[in-house]
Amino acid sequence: MQNLKSELLTLLRMEETSSSEFRKASKAFCSLLAGEAFNHFSMENFSIRTPVEKTTGLKRKKAAVLIPILRSGIAMLDPFLEFFEEARVGFFGFERDEKTFLPKHYYQNIPVFNQEDKIILLDPMLATGGTLLEALRLLIEKKASEENIIIASVIAAPEGIEAVKKLYPNVKLVLGTVDHKLNEKCFIVPGLGDFGDRYFGTLIP
Ligand code: URA
């Protein structure tokens, strides 16, 4: 899978990749990430019958709650729903204050969940971690258990990973890759630019 991930990530990074190619690569890459997130679920045995004989099958034990962070997390929702078909879906809306780079919370619609459910936060770029820290704080406030929260991101910066691990050491991270650093505008380097703009085709030429 590593070669496939590297090729898709290269397409996502390349400046000349069109929006439609970007969406296609993003969908494929996020499907691979969803597969990795599956590894954090415990499984249980159940009896099945093949056309040949009875045997034991495996299924996921806990339900999933998917929470894309608006706007770019929307890009990850469909590929994750392919694997977590029964998932309840919620939304957090944050926008970045371009002066302070701090996240401003403007929307939430979070489904009812119990402490056993696994909550997967979808945010393609784990940069400073500010947005995700705020989302984690809000989820913990709603009594989510830290060890049942998974963050799935396409690219992460070491600064963001450290920030999340410092405050929420039991949260699981499913990361496509870890890049070098953040630049002065808090973009991931080398990164891929603004994920949302590239995915939604809203880059100003
Ligand atoms: N968000 C993005 O879309 N890209 C970055 O590099 C950082 C945050």
Side-chain angles (χ1 to χ4, degrees):
M1 220 68 99
Q2 202 45 51
N3 287 353
L4 178 55
K5 273 177 78 180
S6 306
E7 195 167 291
L8 291 167
L9 193 60
T10 303
L11 272 171
L12 290 171
R13 289 190 193 281
M14 282 165 57
E15 197 172 28
E16 58 269 42
T17 301
S18 69
S19 239
S20 66
E21 291 165 330
F22 189 91
R23 284 178 197 150
K24 211 164 138 192
S26 159
K27 186 168 184 236
F29 194 88
C30 291
S31 296
L32 299 176
L33 278 188
E36 286 174 26
F38 226 95
N39 290 333
H40 288 288
F41 284 72
S42 32
M43 306 293 281
E44 63 187 352
N45 293 336
F46 70 112
S47 286
I48 58 165
R49 184 179 284 280
T50 75
V52 182
E53 66 169 10
K54 262 180 79 179
T55 184
T56 305
L58 281 168
K59 63 177 177 195
R60 201 163 21 98
K61 233 177 171 171
K62 292 180 181 171
V65 177
L66 300 177
I67 306 185
I69 310 256
L70 301 176
R71 147 184 92 139
S72 53
I74 292 281
M76 303 177 77
L77 183 57
D78 263 0
F80 270 72
L81 277 172
E82 277 172 28
F83 287 84
F84 300 100
E85 286 179 336
E86 85 303 337
R88 272 160 286 146
V89 179
F91 297 91
F92 272 133
F94 293 98
E95 57 192 3
R96 184 155 89 145
D97 183 316
E98 292 305 333
K99 286 208 181 83
T100 61
F101 303 127
L102 292 173
K104 282 201 287 186
H105 179 212
Y106 67 87
Y107 181 72
Q108 71 174 21
N109 186 336
I110 305 299
V112 174
F113 58 81
N114 64 48
Q115 284 204 317
E116 296 303 303
D117 293 332
K118 292 259 182 205
I119 300 175
I120 310 181
L121 280 170
L122 306 173
D123 188 356
M125 305 297 276
L126 168 48
T128 59
T131 304
L132 281 161
L133 288 181
E134 194 48 17
L136 289 167
R137 188 185 68 74
L138 292 165
L139 286 175
I140 303 288
E141 205 174 84
K142 290 177 183 295
K143 308 276 179 270
S145 78
E146 196 181 312
E147 44 288 344
N148 281 334
I149 303 177
I150 299 166
I151 290 174
S153 298
V154 173
I155 303 182
E159 294 89 333
I161 298 174
E162 206 182 308
V164 171
K165 285 197 167 155
K166 198 169 160 196
L167 285 182
Y168 301 101
N170 298 315
V171 166
K172 314 286 183 301
L173 298 175
V174 173
L175 307 172
T177 197
V178 180
D179 272 4
H180 304 156
K181 58 173 185 175
L182 295 175
N183 67 14
E184 67 290 347
K185 290 188 169 158
C186 292
F187 271 86
I188 299 178
V189 180
L192 49 73
D194 187 299
F195 193 101
D197 278 343
R198 298 200 61 193
Y199 186 91
F200 294 109
T202 49
L203 259 185
I204 299 158

